[in-house]
Amino acid sequence: QVQLVESGGGLVQAGGSLRLSCAASGRTMRTYGMGWFRQAPGKEREFVAAINWIGNTDYVDSVKGRFTISRDNAKNTLFLQMNSLKPEDTAVYYCAADPAGTYRSGSYWDYWGKGTLVTVSS
């Protein structure tokens, strides 16, 4: 089975940067779609970014120009570079993977990590 483990979360001041990683094991992710979602306290989980197996990317409008999703297939790892962080980016960030592609709806993804907490102070 596929296992996804996120890392890289933490506390950062507004305007700062963090780089999240998602290490996959159990199967090569080379042909999988992979993505990031987040859930803030008291809010529903929301789509952040996704990348398909050929490298096409998709972002929610609120992070465009600040976040960059990338993948290293040789290391079976997904990344999310987050710059110019804002307090409203505070959330638990989850990695997701699916063999059929990428989706903005979380309902379609087959595999999920347990999340990493990002806290942005003002």
Side-chain angles (χ1 to χ4, degrees), residues 58-79:
D58 185 23
Y59 297 92
V60 68
D61 285 348
S62 60
V63 308
K64 283 181 180 177
R66 299 188 299 122
F67 291 10
T68 302
I69 188 171
S70 62
R71 61 194 299 166
D72 184 336
N73 289 333
K75 295 182 178 180
N76 231 21
T77 302
L78 177 71
F79 302 101

Side-chain angles (χ1 to χ4, degrees), residues 35-106:
W36 291 97
F37 286 75
R38 66 186 179 187
Q39 186 166 20
K43 295 188 177 181
E44 293 187 353
R45 181 180 58 192
E46 68 166 345
F47 169 81
V48 176
I51 184 168
N52 67 10
W53 71 281
I54 59 173
N56 293 328
T57 59
D58 185 23
Y59 297 92
V60 68
D61 285 348
S62 60
V63 308
K64 283 181 180 177
R66 299 188 299 122
F67 291 10
T68 302
I69 188 171
S70 62
R71 61 194 299 166
D72 184 336
N73 289 333
K75 295 182 178 180
N76 231 21
T77 302
L78 177 71
F79 302 101
L80 185 68
Q81 178 66 44
M82 305 186 295
N83 299 328
S84 302
L85 282 160
K86 304 175 181 180
E88 50 264 44
D89 295 318
T90 295
V92 177
Y93 283 72
Y94 297 92
C95 171
D98 193 273
T102 60
Y103 318 93
R104 288 201 167 203
S105 170

Side-chain angles (χ1 to χ4, degrees), residues 20-33:
L20 305 184
S21 299
C22 171
S25 61
R27 196 169 298 177
T28 178
M29 295 288 104
R30 187 176 296 111
T31 60
Y32 278 52

